[in-house]
Amino acid sequence: MTKTLNIGLIGCGFMGRTHSNGYQRIRNFFPELQYKPVLHTVCARNGEKAKSFADQWGYANYVTDWKKVIEDDNIQAVDICTPNDTHAEIAIAAAARGKMVLCEKPLARTLEESRTMVEAIEKAGVANTVWYNYRRIPAVTLAKQIIDSGKLGKIFHFRANFLQDWTISAKLPQGGEGLWRMDADVAGSGVTGDLLSHCIDTAIWLNGSISNVTAMTETFVKERMHQLTGKVQEVKIDDACAFLCRFANGSLGLFESTRYARGHKALYTFEINGEHASIRWDLHDLNRLEYFDNADSSNLRGWRSIHVTDGEQPYMDKWWVPGLGIGYEHSFVHQVADFLKSLETGTPCSPTFREAHETQAVCQAVLESAAALAWKDVPKA
């Protein structure tokens, strides 16, 4: 029997679009799911923007005050796509009303803030998830399956980077709509929370917990004009971050992220080296997973390219025919599908708030390490 799940979306920027597309595609490609998302209400501070978004994406209602979404008894699930400084207040309020909560990453600005969110969610006992969508790219999920099968053997190294170049100009302002990621009061941090949190979440999922870190950060442009005040203010976010770490399984990690890598818009890669085999993945070629198996005969040994489009590979039976790839947006469709399936089975949809809190703990340790120029243990989540 089909059950409807009325969605209240708060925030209609880039992430609001990706989530809305995810909800829209479920009925087409995952028809077997018991729960069907219904786009009930969208909220944005600007009424014209909210109405336009509602019309474009098919939301039945629009509001300009997020509290109205929380107070609406017809809405069962609240999806938070707002800047980071509002995540905690909205999530805690939604949980108190017994609503399911889906929250954009990073979970919060600080570890303490995310802890209050976890406590509120778990006290309320509501279904929850955090949108670390790269887990749901089929090639990345296949990597998880390969690692869990033991084919790599003991893991020695995990390395990842996430490189962009959009903030290089010293004339770029900070703060306000579109540039809130440049304002530490709103974002909490720079590339550490925005980009490396993705890398960290994936790393923990694939390779287990991170024990300790040593990091360095840099803010290349020290002052920028703030869009909201018109005043030149100190820039407090990190433009670049690199860190080393040890995983609980004994392997070593190397992570780098920057918004100052000219020529890179969204280069996200990871590589894992094990005793018997290695794997690597690149977001720019997201349907492909590279795999090296030392057990291959020496005359044929080398990196093989696995084109992840076959129906036997993760999620791909829902889409086209072998050989035809899918894109970035499909990772959000898969997360919606997994969340809806979790409601059927009663099992949590990873990453939960508590799991995302572990990523937040690593981010905090990274920032503290960079500030102290010292190794830092990752706080217990």
Side-chain angles (χ1 to χ4, degrees):
M1 183 178 70
T2 300
K3 304 175 184 177
T4 59
L5 184 72
N6 289 338
I7 306 293
L9 180 77
I10 304 176
C12 56
F14 172 45
M15 285 297 108
R17 292 166 58 205
T18 63
H19 295 194
S20 297
N21 180 70
Y23 296 126
Q24 289 279 30
R25 298 281 70 80
I26 288 298
R27 64 175 63 89
N28 304 121
F29 294 97
F30 292 82
E32 76 283 359
L33 292 172
Q34 292 179 12
Y35 285 85
K36 303 299 179 185
V38 174
L39 303 185
H40 188 280
T41 300
V42 63
C43 174
R45 288 173 292 187
N46 182 294
E48 288 186 10
K49 184 176 181 180
K51 183 181 185 306
S52 176
F53 191 94
D55 291 341
Q56 179 179 353
W57 289 98
Y59 284 85
N61 310 282
Y62 70 92
V63 296
T64 58
D65 182 353
W66 64 263
K67 291 184 175 67
K68 292 184 177 179
V69 175
I70 305 299
E71 294 164 358
D72 191 335
D73 292 334
N74 294 312
I75 294 173
Q76 289 97 39
V78 174
D79 189 348
I80 304 170
C81 294
T82 56
N84 302 344
D85 62 334
T86 59
H87 287 187
E89 184 181 11
I90 297 172
I92 292 169
R97 291 293 294 254
K99 298 185 186 299
M100 307 173 196
V101 186
L102 304 92
C103 186
E104 247 309 312
K105 50 60 60 182
L107 186 57
R109 293 174 297 177
T110 67
L111 186 61
E112 183 56 39
E113 202 169 61
S114 71
R115 183 177 290 109
T116 64
M117 298 169 72
V118 172
E119 290 171 352
I121 285 287
E122 293 184 347
K123 178 181 179 181
V126 295
N128 61 95
T129 194
V130 180
W131 294 86
Y132 280 110
N133 60 293
Y134 291 111
R135 292 185 179 202
R136 264 81 182 190
I137 289 176
V140 178
T141 308
L142 179 60
K144 170 70 169 172
Q145 293 177 353
I146 293 171
I147 293 167
D148 288 351
S149 74
K151 290 183 183 298
L152 269 62
K154 179 178 174 60
I155 304 298
F156 299 127
H157 296 284
F158 189 106
R159 63 185 63 86
N161 61 20
F162 207 140
L163 312 180
Q164 297 181 340
D165 70 356
W166 64 275
T167 66
I168 291 178
S169 173
K171 296 180 180 179
L172 189 74
Q174 62 174 311
E177 187 174 356
L179 291 173
W180 59 265
R181 289 177 177 83
M182 302 284 287
D183 185 343
D185 290 340
V186 178
S189 65
V191 296
T192 300
D194 188 32
L195 302 180
L196 278 176
S197 65
H198 273 303
C199 302
I200 293 165
D201 172 78
T202 303
I204 292 172
W205 187 52
L206 296 177
N207 195 39
S209 295
I210 293 173
S211 300
N212 48 44
V213 303
T214 183
M216 60 180 177
T217 60
E218 184 57 63
T219 303
F220 294 111
V221 176
K222 309 298 185 184
E223 294 183 331
R224 293 182 185 271
M225 188 270 287
H226 199 289
Q227 286 198 109
L228 298 182
T229 66
K231 297 179 181 179
V232 175
Q233 298 178 199
E234 180 184 1
V235 177
K236 297 181 180 179
I237 57 111
D238 44 300
D239 291 324
C241 178
F243 74 90
L244 302 171
C245 71
R246 291 185 184 275
F247 287 84
N249 64 8
S251 60
L252 305 182
L254 173 61
F255 293 76
E256 179 194 11
S257 186
T258 182
R259 293 179 180 148
Y260 278 68
R262 183 65 80 191
H264 292 297
K265 305 304 178 185
L267 177 69
Y268 173 23
T269 70
F270 67 74
E271 179 172 330
I272 308 171
N273 306 126
E275 178 184 6
H276 306 305
S278 294
I279 53 177
R280 62 189 180 198
W281 175 79
D282 184 340
L283 176 60
H284 286 172
D285 195 7
L286 59 80
N287 290 297
R288 198 172 301 278
L289 183 68
E290 293 185 274
Y291 178 70
F292 179 94
D293 193 338
N294 199 55
D296 291 341
S297 59
S298 60
N299 63 322
L300 297 176
R301 189 180 298 142
W303 284 94
R304 70 182 73 166
S305 176
I306 304 170
H307 197 211
V308 186
T309 61
D310 192 273
E312 294 184 2
Q313 292 163 327
Y315 299 107
M316 292 309 300
D317 62 320
K318 299 298 182 183
W319 299 104
W320 316 119
V321 296
L324 300 182
I326 60 173
Y328 166 80
E329 71 275 16
H330 295 82
S331 62
F332 294 93
V333 182
H334 297 157
Q335 182 139 359
V336 172
D338 287 347
F339 182 75
L340 297 176
K341 186 64 178 179
S342 76
L343 301 182
E344 293 181 25
T345 61
T347 57
C349 179
S350 292
T352 62
F353 273 38
R354 178 159 291 280
E355 290 165 330
H357 182 58
E358 182 176 359
T359 294
Q360 197 81 42
V362 177
C363 289
Q364 180 129 331
V366 166
L367 295 172
E368 290 178 354
S369 169
L373 299 179
W375 279 91
K376 290 287 182 180
D377 291 336
V378 175
K380 298 296 183 182

